Amino acid sequence: MNIGIVGLGLIGGCLGLDLRAQGLSVFGVGRREDTCLRAMELGVVDTASVDLALMSQADLIFVCTPLGAIRSTVAQMIPHLKPDAIVTDVGSVKASVVESVSPLWPHFVAGHPMAGKAESGIEVAERGLFVDKPYVITPTEHTSAAAVEQVANVARLLQARIYQCGPEEHDRAVAWISHLPVMISSSLIGSCLSEPDHHVLQLAQNLASTGFKDTSRVGGGNPELGLMMATYNRDELLRSLLVYRGQLDRVIGYIEDKNWQDLELFLQQNSAERPKFL
Amino acid sequence: MNIGIVGLGLIGGCLGLDLRAQGLSVFGVGRREDTCLRAMELGVVDTASVDLALMSQADLIFVCTPLGAIRSTVAQMIPHLKPDAIVTDVGSVKASVVESVSPLWPHFVAGHPMAGKAESGIEVAERGLFVDKPYVITPTEHTSAAAVEQVANVARLLQARIYQCGPEEHDRAVAWISHLPVMISSSLIGSCLSEPDHHVLQLAQNLASTGFKDTSRVGGGNPELGLMMATYNRDELLRSLLVYRGQLDRVIGYIEDKNWQDLELFLQQNSAERPKFL
């Protein structure tokens, strides 16, 4: 089976390294000539080109572009594809991708390998990035079981933990554990910055330790990623934010009412349940 | 100078180890005989007793009890103290301590060494816990400069970074960087748990990774500590929570209005300012 990778960044690069190491032939398409050359130098692909016609060689194609480019990339690729070629993506939001890409190609299987690094780009690609990480496949009722199985087989080669669910379930789950935390965390930083007393703000900055550091970490990440989450997963993120505001209002109410018993119960329950997420 | 330590837990134990290593004599008072014996075995103190009369030996006394016991401990200690003995505490909230303890003893200097460990108790006491950690001293206009200087001198022996500010400023700053994050973080866990679809909740638990782990960490801590923050620093915590809710409402509004430009600006500013807290 020949693998195609469109988009030679961190994820595309890591896929190429791992799958070539498994003996598969990997064909890559990048936007720039120099990225294509670098991908061959680094051993990420066997052959690379800026021309999507190269995908005529591939049986299973990973679209590793940013979310906003997935649909147009698939549309441009179609004239070159083998009739039975399976197309999958690695986007971090699934319902909008499934909705826009499924009508274009009958063998499209949406997926989300949940691994990453702080840095991006092909230069930081490495082997084993997906080992023991979730790989979510989100078929619809129209997706062929055989195509799903092909994608799952490759995810197994990557030694990922495979999950299968509907695209909406995926988007709701990642809103809770990935997209909501970014907004919560950024709002913490924004709140501190709004302290009007400069002396207190400076003191807070001097006293901040691991608690603040951890809680604010994802809010200190790439703003473009946060924006992408909000635009592509708007409905589920909004839903989670409104539930979150309700929880926050509970806490505020307990403290206003000096209802220490219920506040303690709230803190106890959440603390006790956290290990289920780890 | 003889040091007194009342309350032989983690903080008291670490103070004893460090100050004895500096050649000072350390007298400790614990609540239980076996803690006193263990403190002597571990080299935390030169002499230990359950009797506060031992504090008649001390020139500078650290009250290392829980916040709720500081006032009564000082009151019981007074009959035994040298007339010039300096009393300080290590409580994590300062305005309420200053208000209740200052009238009891003329040489009281409130303080907060900001160091800790996940575990508590004298068994996990270690040398060097305070090195390069903040040590906040919060005198009032009535506190003698000489007494403040004595406490600062000991903090210097611990190699801590010394800050001096009013008790209210301290409480406002720690609300931002320590107490608010606990409530934010606990509310994140509580929100996820309120997901009504069991399948989605389980998926979220399976997919949760470092982003969720870090943002929820302090919410997964000791519920008694969170409760203590809320009860003793109620006004400042409430104030910070209300500001935080305002920030969250801004984010919700941007997403509801699809105001991606302002959302991006919000995320950018917070991300850019975070390093000032690290």
Short mmCIF file of all heavy atoms in Angstrom, two decimals, chain A residues 22 39 67 91 99 104 109 121 198 202 215 237-238 252 257 263:
data_model
loop_
_atom_site.label_atom_id
_atom_site.label_comp_id
_atom_site.label_asym_id
_atom_site.label_seq_id
_atom_site.Cartn_x
_atom_site.Cartn_y
_atom_site.Cartn_z
N GLN A 22 7.92 1.48 8.66
CA GLN A 22 7.16 0.23 8.59
C GLN A 22 7.23 -0.39 7.20
O GLN A 22 6.52 -1.35 6.90
CB GLN A 22 5.69 0.50 8.93
CG GLN A 22 5.44 1.01 10.34
CD GLN A 22 5.45 -0.12 11.35
OE1 GLN A 22 5.28 -1.28 10.99
NE2 GLN A 22 5.67 0.21 12.61
N ALA A 39 11.85 17.43 3.06
CA ALA A 39 11.13 16.20 3.44
C ALA A 39 11.88 14.97 2.93
O ALA A 39 11.98 13.95 3.63
CB ALA A 39 9.71 16.24 2.90
N LEU A 67 -7.04 23.10 9.14
CA LEU A 67 -8.47 22.80 8.99
C LEU A 67 -9.11 23.54 7.81
O LEU A 67 -9.86 22.95 7.03
CB LEU A 67 -9.22 23.19 10.27
CG LEU A 67 -9.30 22.13 11.37
CD1 LEU A 67 -9.87 22.77 12.63
CD2 LEU A 67 -10.17 20.96 10.93
N GLY A 91 -7.52 16.64 11.04
CA GLY A 91 -8.02 17.87 11.66
C GLY A 91 -8.52 17.65 13.08
O GLY A 91 -9.05 16.59 13.41
N GLU A 99 -18.86 17.19 7.15
CA GLU A 99 -19.95 17.79 6.40
C GLU A 99 -19.47 18.34 5.06
O GLU A 99 -20.15 18.19 4.03
CB GLU A 99 -20.57 18.91 7.23
CG GLU A 99 -21.90 19.41 6.70
CD GLU A 99 -22.38 20.65 7.49
OE1 GLU A 99 -21.57 21.18 8.27
OE2 GLU A 99 -23.52 21.05 7.31
N LEU A 104 -17.65 15.19 -1.36
CA LEU A 104 -16.70 15.30 -2.47
C LEU A 104 -16.13 13.96 -2.90
O LEU A 104 -15.74 13.77 -4.05
CB LEU A 104 -15.52 16.21 -2.07
CG LEU A 104 -15.82 17.65 -1.68
CD1 LEU A 104 -14.52 18.38 -1.36
CD2 LEU A 104 -16.56 18.36 -2.80
N VAL A 109 -12.68 9.15 5.11
CA VAL A 109 -12.81 8.72 6.51
C VAL A 109 -12.15 9.81 7.36
O VAL A 109 -10.94 9.99 7.30
CB VAL A 109 -12.08 7.38 6.76
CG1 VAL A 109 -12.25 6.95 8.21
CG2 VAL A 109 -12.57 6.31 5.81
N GLY A 121 6.13 22.32 12.26
CA GLY A 121 6.98 22.28 11.08
C GLY A 121 7.72 20.96 10.95
O GLY A 121 7.91 20.22 11.92
N HIS A 198 -1.20 48.69 40.05
CA HIS A 198 0.01 48.20 39.41
C HIS A 198 0.92 47.45 40.38
O HIS A 198 1.56 46.46 40.02
CB HIS A 198 0.77 49.37 38.77
CG HIS A 198 2.03 48.92 38.09
ND1 HIS A 198 2.02 48.19 36.92
CD2 HIS A 198 3.34 49.05 38.44
CE1 HIS A 198 3.27 47.91 36.57
NE2 HIS A 198 4.08 48.42 37.47
N GLN A 202 2.18 43.61 39.93
CA GLN A 202 3.60 43.24 39.93
C GLN A 202 3.89 42.19 41.01
O GLN A 202 4.64 41.24 40.79
CB GLN A 202 4.43 44.50 40.18
CG GLN A 202 5.82 44.41 39.60
CD GLN A 202 6.45 45.78 39.48
OE1 GLN A 202 6.26 46.64 40.34
NE2 GLN A 202 7.20 45.99 38.43
N THR A 215 -2.17 26.27 35.44
CA THR A 215 -3.54 26.64 35.07
C THR A 215 -3.54 27.59 33.87
O THR A 215 -4.50 27.61 33.10
CB THR A 215 -4.26 27.29 36.27
OG1 THR A 215 -3.97 26.54 37.46
CG2 THR A 215 -5.77 27.29 36.06
N LEU A 237 -18.10 24.42 21.69
CA LEU A 237 -17.31 25.23 22.62
C LEU A 237 -18.24 26.18 23.39
O LEU A 237 -18.12 26.32 24.62
CB LEU A 237 -16.23 26.01 21.87
CG LEU A 237 -15.37 26.96 22.73
CD1 LEU A 237 -14.71 26.21 23.88
CD2 LEU A 237 -14.31 27.66 21.88
N LEU A 238 -19.16 26.80 22.68
CA LEU A 238 -20.12 27.70 23.34
C LEU A 238 -20.92 26.94 24.40
O LEU A 238 -21.11 27.42 25.52
CB LEU A 238 -21.09 28.27 22.32
CG LEU A 238 -20.87 29.72 21.87
CD1 LEU A 238 -21.99 30.14 20.94
CD2 LEU A 238 -20.77 30.67 23.08
N ILE A 252 -19.32 30.90 43.03
CA ILE A 252 -19.49 32.28 43.49
C ILE A 252 -20.65 32.34 44.51
O ILE A 252 -20.52 32.98 45.56
CB ILE A 252 -19.74 33.21 42.29
CG1 ILE A 252 -18.45 33.33 41.45
CG2 ILE A 252 -20.21 34.60 42.75
CD1 ILE A 252 -18.63 34.06 40.12
N ASP A 257 -22.66 33.21 49.87
CA ASP A 257 -23.57 32.78 50.96
C ASP A 257 -22.82 32.17 52.14
O ASP A 257 -23.46 31.68 53.08
CB ASP A 257 -24.55 31.72 50.41
CG ASP A 257 -25.39 32.26 49.26
OD1 ASP A 257 -25.47 33.50 49.12
OD2 ASP A 257 -25.95 31.44 48.50
N LEU A 263 -19.56 24.15 49.27
CA LEU A 263 -18.31 24.43 48.56
C LEU A 263 -17.33 23.28 48.77
O LEU A 263 -16.68 22.81 47.82
CB LEU A 263 -17.69 25.75 49.02
CG LEU A 263 -16.36 26.10 48.35
CD1 LEU A 263 -16.54 26.32 46.85
CD2 LEU A 263 -15.71 27.33 48.98
#
